[in-house]
Amino acid sequence: TSNIVWFKVCQTFFIPKLISYISGSYLLSKSQFRQLLECSSFAALSSLLSRTPYVKYLSSESQIPLKCKEDLANDFFTLRKKTVQPLTLFLDLISHSYMINNIYILASELATGGAELNKCHALGYFQGLDLLRSQHIYKISELTTFLQSSPLKIYMGNFPAQLSEGYSDINAIKFLRALLLKNHLEYFSQFISRIGGNTARNMLKLFALEADKLSIQNTILLFGAGISESDLSLVYPNMGMLKGTGHKVLSSSKDYNQLRLSLEYYSPKHPLLPILKRENVSIALNDYGFTNYLEEELRQCFGRSNFGYHVFYAYFKIKELEIMKIENLCGSFVKT
């Protein structure tokens, strides 16, 4: 009973104060975001940013994306220090997906002869990454041991004991990423369901679509990797519109075109089909492309009642989308 009372106190008084804290970093308005998408030169980008909170980064043109990312991470971890449970765990779960991708990036690079921490996402940094890099940990047996002493150990419960037999290092690392992200999404969704209220009402719809996106992503990631049918079945979330028969359709696909055609036949009105029909599906389905697809839903989520944790999830996802777009624009302007 005391925990319920404390949770209600946090909902009523604590969360609105934290919302006001992150609102100090502001989001671009809808019209500003549309203008951002239309910028065709650095001059146009600078003119737009000069009328937004991003103006403070214009003094160091070459480091605009880096400074934006650093401030995003500082905002996130400063906010986390001000929280109490269960909001602290909620923010940790946001960070865990970035940790998984960072491990995938480093391990993949180590397996092919390199590894740079600056390619990792700041929201997923933890001290173990330095150890992973310095000790050249990329063999699947070493990675699983490493993960057991990391914050990600909670996602290792169903990892196949004999996975390494017959799989190359790179393919085993790909499978590890796919399984960890799937387990993470299920764990996060169950946590949200237990919280209930506005948080669950606003986030479970997003997570159902996230589950289908991840199922498609994992299928494409593991094309040609020689992953057994039994192992492949482990990387599909137990949720979403594709749950069950849809996952069987995906797992039987041998290439991208077959996957798209099979999905069109199985679920012709699936909301992700427009993305799958694009020429560069790898970009459309990555974190940037998918978040861009969900931008309007995330904005609505952020604008709804602030008596729930969904506002934090929406805020950081939208903020990251803005920064990724700025980074892409800066990169394209440098090339031209």
Side-chain angles (χ1 to χ4, degrees), residues 154-196:
I154 55 177
Y155 312 122
M156 291 294 292
N158 61 340
F159 193 81
Q162 304 300 320
L163 176 71
S164 59
E165 295 183 7
Y167 297 159
S168 68
D169 292 331
I170 288 294
N171 288 337
I173 293 168
K174 287 180 178 179
F175 177 84
L176 176 64
R177 175 189 185 269
L179 182 62
L180 289 176
L181 286 175
K182 171 260 187 182
N183 289 347
H184 166 266
L185 184 62
E186 289 183 344
Y187 187 98
F188 204 165
S189 181
Q190 291 163 9
F191 174 75
I192 293 301
S193 296
R194 291 196 300 272
I195 290 176

Side-chain angles (χ1 to χ4, degrees), residues 199-268:
T199 302
R201 278 191 292 273
N202 284 288
M203 288 194 63
L204 290 180
K205 178 184 176 182
L206 289 174
F207 275 18
L209 201 55
E210 176 75 29
D212 285 353
K213 184 268 293 188
L214 184 61
S215 296
I216 296 168
Q217 255 188 342
N218 285 347
T219 302
I220 294 173
L221 177 71
L222 296 172
F223 278 155
I227 304 298
S228 69
E229 188 174 331
S230 59
D231 285 346
L232 191 60
S233 68
L234 296 175
V235 306
Y236 295 125
N238 189 32
M239 52 193 290
M241 295 174 61
L242 297 177
K243 177 183 173 182
T245 305
H247 291 159
K248 292 180 181 179
V249 169
L250 293 179
S251 64
S252 63
S253 302
K254 303 304 179 185
D255 57 41
Y256 170 68
N257 284 330
Q258 188 179 356
L259 179 149
R260 180 177 54 79
L261 291 172
S262 298
L263 192 59
E264 279 184 321
Y265 177 80
Y266 170 73
S267 184

Side-chain angles (χ1 to χ4, degrees), residues 62-75:
S62 62
Q63 295 194 321
I64 290 176
L66 177 62
K67 295 297 183 182
C68 290
K69 290 179 182 179
E70 288 177 350
D71 278 1
L72 177 68
N74 288 337
D75 281 350

